Amino acid sequence: MDTQRVDGSMVSRRNVIVSATAGVAALVAAGAAGAARGKDADAAPPAAAPATGHPGHTGHAVPVAARAVAPFSVRMPVPKVLKPQSTKGDTDVYAITAKKAKVEILPGTRTEVLTYAGMFPGPTLRVRTGRTAVVKHTNDLGMGTVAHLHGGVTPAGSDGFPMDTVAPGKSREYTYPNQQRAATLWYHDHAHHMEAEHVYGGLAGFYLIDDPAQDSLRLPSGDYDIPIMLRDARFDEKGRLVFQLHDFEHRNTILANGKPQPYFPVAARRYRLRFVNASNLRTFTLRLGKDTQVAQIASDGGLLAAPAAVRSWRMTPGERIEVVVDFSRFKVGSKVVLTDAEAGPVMRFDVGRSATPDTSRVPDRLSTIPALPAATGKRKIVLSFDPVRNRFLINGKQFDQKRVDAEIKRGTTEIWTLTNDAGNFAVPHNFHPHLVQFRVLDRNGRPPAPAEAGVKDTVAVGPGETVRLQATFGPYTGRYAYHCHMIDHSSSGMMAQMKIV
Ligand code: C2O
Ligand code: CU
C-alpha cells in the first residue's frame, strides 16, 4: 500500500485515512496524524508537553453515547479497600473472584462489565513493605485470565506471565513479597491476546504499598489520600461497553474510578491524589483549574527525591503520578475542574469547608532514590508498527512464548535504549518491563524532567523518540514479559520475554 509520509503537521488526517487500507491501518493512520500534530509541540519537557500519546480526535463527528451524560452529575467513588480473609504472622491472605457484573456507570443504566469482586474498578489492596500478600484469584468469567501486579517485584510464578492463564472455574494463589518501597501499583489481567479486552472490560484495581519512611513524612493520609483510576470507554446507545481493538477514536467517555466525568467533594486542605492511567491507548495530559501549580510527589515506583512543582502532568497507559493539591488556596464553594488537553473535562473537585486543621505537609525531601549500580550490559529495543502487515513489533518481532528475547544474569545492571522507529506512521508507544523498577537516564539525549527522574516502571516513547533506561534485573529468576503498555498493541503481539538466569 501507499505509505504516505506523516512527518509533520502539514499532512491532514483525511489524507492519511484515504491513503490507508481498511481496518487497523486506517485506525492507526488516523492516530498517526494526531500524533504527528502533537509532535511539533513535543520539544517541551514531558510534564509540560501537550498530549502526543493519544492518537487524536478532532472536529469530525464520531458517534458518542446516545445517552449523553451531563458532566459532573455523578459523584466519584473511592474503591473499597479489600480486607484480608486471614492473617498469619507476616502474611495476609486475600481472595478475589473475577466475574461479570452489571454496574451503574452511566446514570440510570446498568452496564455489563468484567470485574474483580463485583467492583468497577476492582477493590484496592493496601499492603505494607515487608508483609507478604497472598492473593487467591478465582476465575468465574468463563474464559482464561491471569492477574499481573504492575510494578511489583514478584517471583516469576506469581507474576502473571501472559500464557499462565487460569482456566474458567479454577483458582490460583499469587504471592507478593512486597519487598519494595512504598508505591502506587495496580493489578490487571494479562491473558495474552485478551488482555486489551479484559482490562478494557474492567479487570483492573489499585495495589498500594505503604512503608515507615513514607509514614514519617506526614503527607496527607486517610480520607485525604485518594486513588483515582482514569480511563476512557466507548458506550453504545444502549449503554453497553463497546470494545474493538485499536479503536482509540470512539472511546471518548472519560471515567474516573468508573464514573463519567464525576465530581468529588473535598475539604479546603491538602490532598494526596494518586492517578493511574488505566486506558488501553489514551494518554492523559492533565491540569487543574486555571493551571494551578501542584506538587508532584511520586511516579510509578514511589516517592520522588523532592517534590516537583508542576502545572501539568502527562501519563501514558500504565503510568502513575501522584500529586499533592492544596485546596485551601481556593475559596470555599469553588468548583475546580481537572482537564485533559485532548478530552477536556475529566472530573471536578468541589471545595467545601475543612472541619479539622490540616497537619499534613509536603517536605522538601521526600525520599532517597537508590543509587544506580554500574551497568555491565546494553540492549537495544526498537518499537515499531508495520503498516503493510498491520503488526506491532519489538525488534521486528511479534511475541512468541517459545522464544527468549533477552537472557539476563540475575543481579546484573543493564542500560536499555528504547527507540520508537516511527517510520511513515508516527504511532506512539510506551514501554513496561515486568519485575524491575528502572531509572530514566535520558530522553532524546536530554536528562529526564523532574517528573520522570524518579523510580519508574513504564515510560513513554513517542514517535521518533529515544529513551535510555537503567535497571538491575533481579532478585528473582525465571521468565518475565516486557511490552508496550498501549495494550491494544501488546495484545496484538507487541511484547517479548526476558529470562533471568
Ligand atoms: Cu501493566 Cu505487563 O503490564
Ligand atoms: Cu505500542
Side-chain angles (χ1 to χ4, degrees):
M1 77 188 237
D2 170 27
T3 54
Q4 189 158 353
R5 288 184 62 80
V6 277
D7 56 357
S9 53
M10 298 307 289
V11 178
S12 79
R13 157 197 205 84
R14 206 165 144 262
N15 289 342
V16 178
I17 290 174
V18 169
S19 76
T21 53
V24 176
L27 289 168
V28 169
R37 274 195 311 278
K39 200 179 165 194
D40 298 329
D42 202 28
T52 54
H54 172 59
H57 25 130
T58 46
H60 83 274
V62 291
V64 292
R67 180 195 294 272
V69 180
F72 321 128
S73 53
V74 276
R75 181 180 171 133
M76 183 183 78
V78 176
K80 277 205 200 65
V81 175
L82 190 67
K83 290 207 178 60
Q85 212 179 35
S86 65
T87 282
K88 217 189 259 160
D90 280 346
T91 302
D92 300 310
V93 180
Y94 298 88
I96 295 177
T97 298
K99 58 181 178 203
K100 289 187 179 147
K102 289 199 164 171
V103 298
E104 185 170 310
I105 301 172
L106 309 174
T109 308
R110 297 186 79 74
T111 300
E112 184 173 270
V113 292
L114 311 181
T115 75
Y116 289 122
M119 293 172 58
F120 180 85
T124 297
L125 278 86
R126 186 132 204 176
V127 305
R128 287 193 73 80
T129 298
R131 285 192 68 79
T132 301
V134 172
V135 184
K136 184 178 176 189
H137 275 275
T138 300
N139 177 7
D140 270 356
L141 277 175
M143 51 197 172
T145 58
V146 54
H148 169 59
L149 176 57
H150 180 125
V153 180
T154 306
S158 288
D159 189 58
F161 193 75
M163 318 312 292
D164 289 348
T165 50
V166 179
K170 296 274 190 277
S171 300
R172 173 173 304 151
E173 284 184 359
Y174 297 82
T175 300
Y176 304 122
N178 299 323
Q179 299 288 347
Q180 60 188 106
R181 65 209 296 263
T184 298
L185 310 186
W186 63 301
Y187 63 100
H188 61 77
D189 185 75
H190 222 304
H192 190 41
H193 293 313
M194 292 305 291
E195 64 268 47
E197 187 165 356
H198 285 176
V199 174
Y200 183 85
L203 294 181
F206 276 101
Y207 187 102
L208 310 179
I209 306 181
D210 294 315
D211 71 10
Q214 178 182 266
D215 297 344
S216 68
L217 297 176
R218 280 194 4 238
L219 293 165
S221 61
D223 289 346
Y224 311 109
D225 174 359
I226 309 293
I228 301 175
M229 184 175 286
L230 299 180
R231 60 165 291 180
D232 58 10
R234 173 185 183 180
F235 295 93
D236 69 9
E237 62 290 343
K238 293 214 169 83
R240 288 176 301 210
L241 193 57
V242 179
F243 176 78
Q244 265 171 22
L245 202 62
H246 306 302
D247 171 25
F248 54 82
E249 257 202 314
H250 303 111
R251 297 173 187 166
N252 42 29
T253 300
I254 305 297
L255 306 179
N257 287 345
K259 299 290 184 190
Q261 295 172 300
Y263 70 89
F264 187 69
V266 291
R269 53 154 292 147
R270 281 184 210 88
Y271 277 76
R272 176 181 189 167
L273 305 176
R274 305 172 183 249
F275 292 97
V276 59
N277 181 354
S279 302
N280 284 29
L281 294 168
R282 178 183 294 273
T283 291
F284 285 102
T285 305
L286 301 171
R287 47 192 76 226
L288 187 68
K290 295 189 178 115
D291 293 346
T292 304
Q293 181 174 302
V294 303
Q296 184 185 341
I297 58 164
S299 56
D300 308 329
L303 293 170
L304 304 179
V310 298
R311 292 181 192 279
S312 164
W313 60 103
R314 178 170 182 264
M315 304 163 70
T316 63
E319 288 187 287
R320 285 87 69 210
I321 281 185
E322 297 183 41
V323 299
V324 172
V325 178
D326 188 353
F327 287 105
S328 74
R329 58 193 297 164
F330 301 100
K331 281 205 203 69
V332 168
S334 303
K335 298 182 187 313
V336 187
V337 177
L338 181 72
T339 309
D340 175 63
E342 287 204 19
V346 168
M347 64 177 293
R348 190 182 73 191
F349 296 94
D350 296 358
V351 183
R353 227 165 281 286
S354 193
T356 51
D358 184 1
T359 55
S360 71
R361 53 181 196 141
V362 182
D364 295 339
R365 299 282 322 156
L366 292 168
S367 76
T368 305
I369 308 263
L372 290 170
T376 53
K378 277 189 167 52
R379 246 168 254 275
K380 279 197 166 52
I381 306 285
V382 179
L383 310 169
S384 68
F385 168 66
D386 167 7
V388 178
R389 299 176 67 186
N390 280 336
R391 298 193 314 169
F392 293 89
L393 307 166
I394 294 184
N395 289 347
K397 295 180 185 130
Q398 286 188 305
F399 179 68
D400 178 352
Q401 61 153 324
K402 295 195 280 307
R403 185 187 68 234
V404 172
D405 299 279
E407 189 169 290
I408 304 170
K409 206 158 159 272
R410 177 166 72 110
T412 55
T413 297
E414 297 196 345
I415 294 174
W416 288 22
T417 302
L418 318 170
T419 307
N420 179 336
D421 180 4
N424 294 324
F425 287 84
V427 182
H429 299 293
N430 71 3
F431 187 75
H432 168 57
H434 288 201
L435 178 65
V436 296
Q437 291 285 340
F438 57 74
R439 301 285 300 284
V440 176
L441 297 180
D442 43 55
R443 172 179 291 282
N444 304 325
R446 287 189 297 270
E452 57 179 14
V455 183
K456 297 275 296 163
D457 58 44
T458 307
V459 67
V461 192
E465 288 197 305
T466 295
V467 175
R468 289 196 315 146
L469 61 81
Q470 183 161 340
T472 301
F473 293 82
Y476 307 111
T477 57
R479 62 177 183 169
Y480 292 90
Y482 54 93
H483 56 90
C484 178
H485 214 290
M486 300 197 156
I487 50 180
D488 290 25
H489 301 178
S490 51
S491 251
S492 337
M494 194 167 192
M495 183 163 65
Q497 68 174 310
M498 54 186 173
K499 195 169 170 194
I500 316 297
V501 296

